[in-house]
């Protein structure tokens, strides 16, 4: 089983100053908690501030996105070369980017491959929209997406996959632990087909979608869920610290 991972996606929230304060508070709140990897993904312009604030702690910094080229005429974009040394993780294919910037599996795959080449750990997000679930198509949608996002990736090393049903993101309506486990198990099978059992077992499969301190215990207790990608609740220090603590408690007792 991989070490559980809790990643906080701050989305487009916090000024640079607020980000430093929030990161320092998270550092204090989770000090001494072990057996879980914690990653904070602030807006790009706050990454250096957050890195400074968490220095000396095991907390890692992540980016919320990146371009697949190292440099060039891509106004407003941030490249993997710019992220190197600043963070270890990068979220790719978040559903908000798929929805608002028409990011396809093909584009996400380019980003994921480039992240790996650049020594970054991509957190690849996949998940179905409500209509697809209502039509019973969630498994085929996620299978297609995983295949597309992993195209040409032949090692499981440094990979993270997050199952994030779009209907659960920011809605307060989390998937049930059974629904989340079923999809995480599907992703594990797809990873096994590609990388073999040992390889697949080494990839953290996260659940994301309205995770909070009330529902995380049940989610983290599922055999194929190795942690969470947390949006809204990651902006609240007490909630986020509870999520981290509960995850490590559940995983060390199972
Ligand atoms: C997310 O942004 O990836 C997310 C899961 O958000 P929330 O926890 O707010 O649903």
């Amino acid at each position: 089983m991989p070490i559980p991972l809790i990643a906080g996606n701050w989305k487009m929230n916090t000024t640079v100053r607020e980000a430093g304060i929030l990161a320092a508070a998270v550092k204090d709140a989770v000090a001494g908690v072990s057996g879980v990897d914690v990653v904070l993904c602030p807006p790009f312009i706050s990454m250096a501030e957050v890195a400074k604030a968490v220095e000396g702690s095991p907390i890692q910094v992540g980016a919320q996105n990146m371009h697949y080229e190292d440099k060039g005429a891509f106004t407003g974009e941030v490249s993997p070369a710019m992220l190197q040394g600043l963070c270890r993780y990068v979220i790719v294919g978040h559903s908000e980017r798929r929805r608002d910037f028409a990011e396809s599996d093909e584009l996400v795959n380019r980003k994921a491959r480039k992240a790996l080449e650049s020594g970054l750990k991509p957190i690849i997000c996949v998940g179905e929209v409500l209509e697809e679930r209502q039509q019973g198509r969630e498994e085929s949608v996620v299978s297609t997406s995983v295949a597309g996002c992993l195209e040409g990736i032949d090692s499981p090393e440094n990979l993270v996959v997050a199952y994030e049903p779009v209907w659960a993101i920011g809605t307060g309506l989390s998937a049930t632990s059974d629904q989340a486990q079923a999809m995480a198990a599907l992703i594990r099978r797809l990873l096994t087909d590609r990388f073999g059992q040992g390889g697949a077992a080494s990839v953290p499969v996260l659940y994301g979608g309205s995770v909070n301190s009330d529902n995380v215990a049940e989610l983290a207790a599922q055999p194929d869920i190795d942690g969470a990608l947390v949006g809204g609740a990651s902006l609240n220090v007490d909630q986020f610290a509870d999520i981290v603590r509960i995850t490590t408690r559940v995983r060390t007792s199972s």
Side-chain angles (χ1 to χ4, degrees):
M1 263 187 181
I3 295 176
L5 171 62
I6 301 294
N9 174 15
W10 293 0
K11 311 193 189 196
M12 197 175 70
N13 293 293
T14 68
T15 62
V16 173
R17 189 167 167 276
E18 288 165 350
I21 293 169
L22 178 57
V26 171
K27 177 183 168 181
D28 288 348
V30 301
V33 180
S34 59
V36 58
D37 288 333
V38 178
V39 181
L40 302 180
C41 304
F44 284 128
I45 61 161
S46 298
M47 288 176 68
E49 189 75 12
V50 168
K52 203 162 62 179
V54 300
E55 221 175 313
S57 83
I59 297 175
Q60 304 259 3
V61 181
Q64 297 177 16
N65 178 38
M66 61 166 228
H67 200 274
Y68 54 80
E69 294 286 358
D70 275 331
K71 61 180 179 177
F74 301 103
T75 303
E77 291 292 312
V78 170
S79 83
M82 295 169 190
L83 296 179
Q84 279 170 327
L86 198 54
C87 69
R88 278 312 309 280
Y89 290 85
V90 56
I91 299 170
V92 292
H94 192 280
S95 63
E96 287 154 12
R97 295 203 61 84
R98 291 176 185 264
R99 180 195 66 202
D100 298 338
F101 302 100
E103 292 201 1
S104 62
D105 289 331
E106 194 192 340
L107 179 63
V108 176
N109 173 251
R110 283 180 92 163
K111 293 183 180 199
R113 281 191 287 147
K114 182 65 185 184
L116 291 165
E117 261 173 57
S118 309
L120 299 167
K121 299 182 177 196
I123 302 175
I124 300 173
C125 300
V126 294
E128 79 286 357
V129 299
L130 184 60
E131 194 185 4
E132 290 163 340
R133 178 164 281 268
Q134 284 169 339
Q135 292 167 349
R137 295 198 296 122
E138 65 274 14
E139 295 209 348
S140 69
V141 167
V142 167
S143 302
T144 303
S145 196
V146 168
C149 293
L150 294 183
E151 180 80 42
I153 294 175
D154 50 20
S155 164
E157 207 183 338
N158 287 333
L159 274 181
V160 180
V161 179
Y163 168 59
E164 295 213 304
V166 180
W167 46 270
I169 296 180
T171 59
L173 181 75
S174 169
T176 65
S177 51
D178 285 349
Q179 289 170 324
Q181 162 57 24
M183 297 302 283
L186 168 71
I187 291 169
R188 190 82 62 195
R189 285 196 298 278
L190 298 168
L191 292 169
T192 303
D193 293 345
R194 182 169 285 267
F195 304 121
Q197 210 169 351
S202 71
V203 177
V205 177
L206 312 183
Y207 166 76
S210 298
V211 172
N212 57 41
S213 52
D214 292 329
N215 60 24
V216 70
E218 215 182 309
L219 290 160
Q222 303 307 311
D224 287 293
I225 297 178
D226 302 310
L229 182 51
V230 185
S234 69
L235 294 166
N236 178 308
V237 181
D238 295 335
Q239 274 272 335
F240 189 67
D242 278 350
I243 289 169
V244 170
R245 269 193 293 269
I246 292 166
T247 301
T248 185
R249 195 188 64 220
V250 168
R251 283 294 286 250
T252 45
S253 66
S254 64

